[in-house]
Amino acid sequence: MILEILEYPDPRLRTIAKPVDEVTDDTRKLIDDMFETMYDAPGIGLAATQVNVHKQIIVMDVSDDNSEPRVFINPKIDVLDGELEAMQEGCLSVPGFYEDVKRIEHCRITAKDRNGEDFVLEATGLLAVCIQHEMDHLNGKLFVDYLSSLKRTRIRKKLEKLHKQSA
Amino acid sequence: MAYQPLPFRAVAANVLLAVENGQSLSQCLPVALSQLPPEQRPQLQAICYGSCRWFHRLDGELNQRLKKPLRKPDRVVHHLMLVALFQLRFSEQATYAILNETVEACRELDKPHLTGLVNGVLRAAEREGAPEPEDDSSRFSHPMWMIEKLKHNWPDDWQAILGANNTQAPMTLRVNALRFSRDEYLNLLAEAGIGALATRFAPYGIQLERPVPVDRLPWFDDGAASVQDEAAQLCTTLLDLQPGQRVLDACAAPGGKTCAILEACAGLTEVVAIDESAERLPRVQENLDRLDLIATLTEADAANTGQWWDGQAFDRILLDVPCSATGVIRRHPDIKLLRRESDIVPLAGIQLGLLQAMWSVLKPGGRLVYATCSVFPQENHRIIQRFLKQQEQAQLIQIEAAWGRNMDTGRQLLPDPDSHDGFFYAVLEKPEP
């Protein structure tokens, strides 16, 4: 089932997600729906926050051909290399806008998979950028928060106008 | 997260902008290439190299066409137009495609207010053709300071040097002498349908008629040959390598010459390869592994001998110093944008410092080969002169060779459009006490 994606400046995107106590069939159903929603959008990552479920769940696939689906439940991040690299990011909750954001280049993620098993992953490049982007969502943060207030306001106004037109 | 790969023109414009801001192509191009689908990568590479090669000419034309420069935040659109001009002037691509795609890329770069300007400038460029160059910088497509310096240093050759710098370098191989003779490998190449000729001066060199991807070369992964310019290969002919010697390659990365030394003489006791770049040292190991050779790798600033030297002097030292790289501009056209005239004096200081430090770890009776890929005497002939003033006992060895020009202190190769890069070699010996 394709879920509705909240769009900036929706205040619900600012909710801080709670950890998942137990990975159940309901969690897996949500994960499947999140993948379907992400692939349909199309996007390379989606946090539960964006579909108005405030639990620490992320789905992701940075491959060219949708061949590497990844699930992160209750993710924690360690910085391995502090060097920052700016890369163009966009967001399914901020449709149509792409801006350079500086992120940590190399990090280690500890999380649970869709079966509730712990795993560790070292990430660089696009994967590292995407994980940091999605983990921000779980903390109520958006990539536009890294931009100048001028740019952020411009994006907000344009999206508000679009929302009004489609309402 | 949503991710939208930029059109390759926009990526190319960003690469040029990064080079203008001081990054080398070898730093920023790999990142840019990874943003593109594989089938577009060769084109991006060709455009980035070509646009740097012809930067000063294209920039001259563009500045003539723009009534006033673009605002700083819009600078990337300037480079986007340079890329389009490069293709208009130097490629076969259809004009309408260049124009449409460039206007589209301008939009993708989030500069919709400039699409009219881009369209107007490029249409005029197409209609009117290339203008007469306004100055030498644009005529020879080099920075003015470099042209002036070359005129002064090489009054009879400066135009030939500038011309050679604007050509594409040939692809040259060094046959691994431990595996094949040059004739054997030439036969293998002929069987593989790759046109090639033996180089004139380097004993193991083979120049290909046209560049090919290395995976098409026979037994390349097994270490049959390496890619290396003929001028760089000449280092082993000057080192007088003999079994039992301990050899130092003082600024080794990426290791082409380290490997050449090991291939040229099978019985060396040890080859120590030093480089101060932790990032580039793994490249040396990769090259050694592919060729199945062994060297001792050390990450250190060679000049700081206290940091790395074990007290055992070397029989032979190859000192290929960091330099302006003005002899290899045809391989690294971004040098035209990156190098500043003010770099040369500090580089000369580093070069002399390295030479002094290496002299201190050379065994009496040992030999040191000083090398640069520069065409400025300030980094070549003058360094040796300055050194000889300080070290009166150092003995300068005259290089008897058919290549290059005699500069009293050493031999200078100027870049040759048909063969080798620009290079300088000098040979020094430390007398026995």
Side-chain angles (χ1 to χ4, degrees), chain A residues 43-45 90 98 130 133-134, chain B residues 1-4 6 31 35 38 110:
Chain A
I44 59 170
Y98 294 86
C130 190
H133 177 110
E134 301 311 332
Chain B
M1 179 168 152
Y3 179 63
Q4 171 190 332
L6 281 170
V31 182
Q35 295 171 359
D110 208 14

Side-chain angles (χ1 to χ4, degrees), chain A residues 37-62:
Chain A
T37 308
M38 178 188 82
Y39 285 134
D40 176 70
I44 59 170
L46 187 71
T49 313
Q50 292 174 278
V51 293
N52 200 23
V53 177
H54 300 288
K55 288 184 186 160
Q56 293 179 9
I57 303 173
I58 290 168
V59 299
M60 202 178 293
D61 188 337
V62 297

Side-chain angles (χ1 to χ4, degrees), chain B residues 164-165 167-172 199-202 207 228-234 327-331 375 402-405 412-425:
Chain B
N165 288 348
T167 61
Q168 282 189 46
M171 181 168 176
T172 306
T199 51
R200 255 192 307 164
F201 308 120
Q207 187 172 316
Q228 188 176 44
D229 182 70
E230 183 180 10
Q233 293 184 37
L234 295 170
V328 293
I329 286 178
R330 55 189 192 153
R331 290 185 199 279
V375 293
W403 46 263
R405 298 157 185 235
Q412 176 76 54
L413 294 128
L414 296 177
D416 181 335
D418 299 320
S419 63
H420 55 75
D421 290 338
F423 236 81
F424 176 81
Y425 283 112

